[in-house]
């Protein structure tokens, strides 16, 4: 793996932080023309929310037009695995660009999509032998939900048309995915448009009572799942979970025991298990796929984000040969008549193949383990801050809750971190780290140090 270069030395201790620069030209035009995601736009105009125009990226760093740099400690919304402007992924995309940029995937195929499908299936031990593509995570979840329902319908059980999700779950923001989500911030305004899933208890390890382990909490949550299934399984198509870490719901972490039990219960009661590994896939939890830690396989596996190393929009749903077989028929209507224009885009598939090559050639998972230990140690001052609660860590994800009643904490911390050259976006009062896998030790130390400084400043 290429070690990330740190082009500027870290600021020496005590040196003052340069004034905040917001690139007035591009940000002004952007505020006029671009409707930014997940943003109350007025905060950019009259509030304290900075808008930063990025000119280029290199390794873990983003550079604005004034030459200021920001350490991308959230991998640009959890997508970037091997840094910005990665030489090997760049080369693969450039090579593909001169061959074939895109072709319709209905009635046609191409080498990158075939190779990617074969390699992804192999990575599941060929238990999930068929790949269906889309462009973003939400579409993948929609596909898995539709496929699950349609499988039961093809098997003569159309009444299995409800879904189960976990408390605090997040699976995207289209109407179908909001219906299986449980984050009020994104969901409540659209409640009249949704067909909500039933929510069962989350195995959130923070719920452990004195003397209880995370596995005990997982067993308790699984008992809640079982009592619901016992009564309602005939109307339920699938349980959807984010394995091991529930991301947008607050970086909720839980024991693999829950997944083991959920798999058994799904089998016992005849419902599908959908693993949404859009965030946790590709090494984020320490194994290539998070569900591997429970030694189970889902019926549907949703992947996106890190799939292309954070380069191009691509998502995929992998499923079993037996699900595939229920659609394989003379009757057209038994087929899965679902499509997106850019399904299986060759450039995105080449980026994904280059990403898988890096995993294989650089022993990434093995390298991440000692890094994670070192970074956990570096975060000790943050974990020990008097207002820090529930410091937790799974693989290459770290999170800590901050005990504060300040409704502006999130924005304050975000600004303070940016002023210290670090991009961190808390979820409410939860600060989390999800860096690319290429941080060197100096960058890791800088990140940990600046995060504590930003916390102190935000709470001051
Ligand atoms: N599922 C999970 C677990 C996610 O974290 C996300 C995105 N944060 C999605 C689904 C939706 O993916 P996208 O934003 O690409 O639609």
């Amino acid at each position: 793996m290429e070690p990330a270069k740190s082009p500027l030395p870290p600021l020496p201790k005590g040196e003052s932080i340069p004034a905040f620069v917001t690139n007035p030209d591009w940000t002004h035009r952007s505020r006029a023309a671009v409707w930014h995601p997940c943003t109350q736009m007025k905060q950019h105009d009259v509030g304290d929310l900075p808008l930063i125009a990025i000119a280029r990226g290199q390794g873990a760093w983003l550079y604005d037009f004034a030459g200021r740099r920001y350490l991308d400690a959230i991998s640009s919304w959890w997508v970037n695995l091997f840094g910005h402007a990665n030489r090997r992924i760049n080369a693969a995309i450039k090579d593909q660009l001169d061959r074939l940029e895109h072709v319709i995937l209905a009635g046609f195929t191409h080498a990158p999509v075939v190779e990617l499908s074969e390699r992804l299936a192999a990575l599941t031990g060929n238990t999930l032998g068929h790949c269906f593509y889309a462009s973003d995570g939400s579409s993948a979840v929609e596909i898995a939900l539709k496929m699950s329902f349609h499988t039961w319908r093809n098997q003569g059980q159309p009444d299995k048309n409800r879904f189960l999700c976990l408390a605090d779950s997040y699976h995207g923001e289209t109407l179908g995915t909001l219906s299986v989500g449980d984050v009020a911030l994104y969901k409540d305004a659209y409640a009249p448009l949704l067909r909500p899933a039933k929510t069962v208890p989350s195995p959130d390890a923070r719920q452990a009572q004195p003397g209880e382990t995370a596995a005990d909490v997982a067993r308790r949550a699984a008992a809640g799942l079982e009592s619901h299934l016992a009564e309602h399984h005939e109307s339920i198509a699938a349980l959807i979970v984010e394995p091991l870490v529930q991301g947008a719901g607050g970086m909720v972490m839980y024991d693999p025991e829950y997944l083991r039990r959920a798999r058994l219960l799904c089998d016992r009661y005849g419902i599908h298990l959908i693993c949404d590994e859009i965030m946790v896939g590709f090494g984020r939890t320490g194994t290539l796929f998070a569900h591997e830690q429970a030694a189970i396989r889902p019926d549907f596996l949703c992947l996106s984000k890190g799939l292309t190393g954070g380069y191009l929009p691509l998502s995929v749903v992998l499923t079993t040969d037996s699900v595939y077989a229920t659609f394989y028929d003379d009757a057209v209507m038994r087929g899965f008549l679902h499509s997106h224009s850019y399904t299986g885009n060759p450039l995105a598939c080449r980026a994904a193949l280059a990403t898988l090559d890096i995993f294989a050639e650089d022993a990434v998972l093995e390298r991440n383990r000692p890094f994670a230990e070192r970074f956990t140690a570096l975060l000790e001052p943050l974990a020990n801050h008097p207002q820090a609660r529930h410091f937790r860590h799974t693989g290459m994800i770290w999170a800590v809750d901050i005990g504060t009643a300040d409704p502006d904490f999130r924005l304050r911390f975000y600004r303070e971190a940016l002023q210290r050259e670090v991009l961190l976006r808390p979820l409410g009062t939860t600060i989390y780290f999800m860096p690319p896998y290429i941080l060197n030790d100096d960058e890791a130390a800088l990140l940990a140090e600046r995060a504590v400084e930003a916390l102190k400043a935000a709470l001051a």
Side-chain angles (χ1 to χ4, degrees), residues 253-271:
M253 300 187 183
Y254 64 88
D255 193 276
E257 178 63 15
Y258 184 79
L259 296 173
R260 271 190 289 278
R261 297 208 167 204
R263 176 71 274 180
L264 285 172
L265 291 169
C266 286
D267 289 343
R268 185 178 310 155
Y269 288 100
I271 71 167

Side-chain angles (χ1 to χ4, degrees), residues 165-179:
C165 65
L166 301 185
D168 294 326
S169 59
Y170 175 95
H171 297 287
E173 284 166 54
T174 56
L175 295 179
T177 59
L178 282 176
S179 295

Side-chain angles (χ1 to χ4, degrees), residues 339-459:
S339 61
H340 296 283
S341 312
Y342 284 102
T343 288
N345 174 264
L347 292 168
C349 289
R350 272 302 290 277
L353 287 166
T355 301
L356 292 182
D357 285 344
I358 295 176
F359 270 103
E361 290 162 14
D362 293 0
V364 172
L365 301 176
E366 291 73 13
R367 277 188 55 149
N368 281 353
R369 256 170 243 144
F371 172 85
E373 272 177 37
R374 293 196 298 276
F375 192 53
T376 304
L378 287 168
L379 288 178
E380 240 174 69
L382 180 66
N384 292 333
H385 185 279
Q387 277 164 268
R389 318 261 184 279
H390 298 295
F391 177 79
R392 51 199 182 275
H393 156 230
T394 301
M396 292 293 280
I397 308 173
W398 292 260
V400 64
D401 304 332
I402 304 302
T404 171
D406 177 3
D408 292 332
F409 170 77
R410 180 180 178 280
L411 181 54
R412 272 186 218 279
F413 180 86
Y414 176 65
R415 282 182 56 91
E416 295 293 346
L418 284 176
Q419 292 199 352
R420 289 165 178 78
E421 306 185 304
V422 166
L423 168 50
L424 285 167
R425 282 173 59 102
L427 292 157
T429 51
T430 300
I431 299 171
Y432 72 89
F433 301 81
M434 220 190 283
Y437 302 161
I438 43 117
L439 287 200
N440 61 36
D441 285 354
D442 288 346
E443 290 164 331
L446 178 148
L447 173 55
E449 200 178 292
R450 303 277 173 91
V452 183
E453 287 172 13
L455 177 62
K456 287 180 188 156
L459 293 172

